[in-house]
Amino acid sequence: MNTSKQPQPHQPPDTESTISDLLPYIKAARDKFPSKEELFSEVNRDRDNRKKVLKTVQYTAALVFCALGVWTVNPTISTDNYSTRYAENAEYTLADGSRVHLNSNTTLLTRFRLHSRELTLDKGEASFTVKHEWRPFTVAVDTSKVVDIGTVFNISKWEQSFVTTVLEGEVELHTGDQQTRLIASQSIVVSAGKAGTPYLADMDAVTAWHSGKILFNKTPLKDAIASIQRYRKAPIQLDPRVENMLITGIYDVSKVEQLLDSMDTMFPVKVTRLNNGEINIQKMHS
């Protein structure tokens, strides 16, 4: 009797059991490796980030370019005009905090730029007390420029010339190719575009107008009449034969008419007033 066992037919594995056994491994793989959706999402995020970085670089480059352009052009930030009438003086605080004191019949233009402070004295006389900052402070007079170097200074302009006087600190005068450094208590005359030699100033005479006075100290009559002319509109005609006579004294600017009328008591001259307000001062005949 044959008792050997017959071979058993092959049994397929239990699918549910197999999957159940593999679940932990599948879960671990999912935790370790990103899914297709996550991969696409990551690619999209990278692309968006690159676009943002590119835009940031472009914006930054544009801003730098614009800033460089603005700096090169040196645009105007503000402009102002200041003026006084005859027999009037006035003080102003400028946009940068500097102060200016204008004498009678004076016109001043200020232009404050991004990296410079540029003023123009068209006519008259002005004193400047400059607020220190990194932007240079210059005053143009005719074809010349006065450059502040930590300063209080005065500029008195005439028809064909001007005088710069340093009250405190220093200035540098630029006239054509010539540059002249002035220190406190020094004055210089610029005539027909040419600078003279610095000299010791009479500070009381230079600043007397601040308090409404005119001070003459052995001043030639020609220069004295030019100073008086600031305070009246109608012209004063002076005989050339007496223009070098000297005058000394302190006078009130509000009384220049009385001063003119008294000229014949101080000098051998005749003072004649015309209907249009003009005054003629002629030498008396011997």
Side-chain angles (χ1 to χ4, degrees):
M1 182 175 171
N2 188 1
T3 60
S4 61
K5 294 183 179 181
Q6 297 295 321
Q8 300 295 320
H10 176 70
Q11 299 292 326
D14 185 346
T15 302
E16 292 183 2
S17 176
T18 301
I19 291 175
S20 178
D21 292 339
L22 292 175
L23 279 176
Y25 300 99
I26 293 173
K27 186 176 184 301
R30 284 179 177 174
D31 293 340
K32 186 171 184 179
F33 300 101
S35 66
K36 179 178 69 176
E37 292 78 9
E38 291 173 332
L39 286 173
F40 280 118
S41 178
E42 184 67 25
V43 169
N44 290 333
R45 279 198 299 270
D46 288 344
R47 185 175 61 227
D48 291 342
N49 286 337
R50 284 195 297 271
K51 286 182 178 179
K52 289 179 181 179
V53 171
L54 180 59
K55 286 183 178 180
T56 300
V57 171
Q58 290 173 336
Y59 290 153
T60 302
L63 287 173
V64 170
F65 180 78
C66 290
L68 289 174
V70 168
W71 182 264
T72 302
V73 173
N74 190 23
T76 299
I77 298 172
S78 66
T79 60
D80 286 293
N81 284 287
Y82 301 91
S83 62
T84 52
R85 296 170 295 183
Y86 287 97
E88 174 188 43
N89 70 56
E91 295 185 70
Y92 300 97
T93 298
L94 306 183
D96 68 331
S98 299
R99 299 194 312 277
V100 61
H101 192 170
L102 304 186
N103 198 356
S104 171
N105 192 29
T106 296
T107 302
L108 177 73
L109 168 67
T110 67
R111 177 174 284 108
F112 290 96
R113 298 181 181 272
L114 180 63
H115 54 85
S116 62
R117 297 173 289 173
E118 303 169 6
L119 289 73
T120 301
L121 183 63
D122 283 334
K123 65 177 181 178
E125 183 171 24
S127 289
F128 304 88
T129 302
V130 182
K131 182 179 180 181
H132 305 306
E133 60 165 72
W134 62 274
R135 292 179 298 174
F137 186 103
T138 62
V139 181
V141 188
D142 298 329
T143 59
S144 301
K145 285 186 178 181
V146 179
V147 182
D148 165 69
I149 310 177
T151 321
V152 179
F153 61 99
N154 189 86
I155 301 177
S156 182
K157 186 179 184 302
W158 311 100
E159 288 187 6
Q160 301 295 328
S161 64
F162 69 92
V163 180
T164 298
T165 304
V166 180
L167 308 181
E168 297 178 19
E170 300 179 43
V171 301
E172 191 170 77
L173 173 67
H174 295 197
T175 304
D177 295 331
Q178 182 181 358
Q179 297 182 9
T180 307
R181 183 71 66 93
L182 299 176
I183 61 173
S185 300
Q186 281 189 325
S187 290
I188 192 169
V189 177
V190 178
S191 181
K194 295 183 179 180
T197 301
Y199 61 90
L200 186 63
D202 182 341
M203 301 298 281
D204 291 335
V206 171
T207 60
W209 66 269
H210 291 178
S211 54
K213 304 293 182 181
I214 307 178
L215 190 154
F216 301 128
N217 184 12
K218 296 181 180 179
T219 303
L221 197 53
K222 177 182 178 180
D223 295 338
I225 293 299
S227 295
I228 295 170
Q229 184 69 74
R230 288 196 190 280
Y231 304 97
R232 70 187 320 268
K233 187 174 183 179
I236 306 168
Q237 303 296 339
L238 180 66
D239 191 329
R241 294 174 295 175
V242 298
E243 62 184 18
N244 291 320
M245 293 182 176
L246 304 181
I247 182 173
T248 297
I250 301 176
Y251 304 94
D252 195 317
V253 297
S254 65
K255 298 179 180 179
V256 293
E257 299 303 320
Q258 292 93 319
L259 172 59
L260 290 169
D261 288 335
S262 67
M263 286 288 177
D264 58 4
T265 65
M266 296 183 283
F267 304 100
V269 297
K270 179 181 179 181
V271 179
T272 303
R273 288 183 175 271
L274 305 183
N275 291 334
N276 62 359
E278 181 178 331
I279 290 182
N280 288 335
I281 302 176
Q282 296 290 325
K283 182 178 180 181
M284 293 285 291
H285 295 293
S286 302

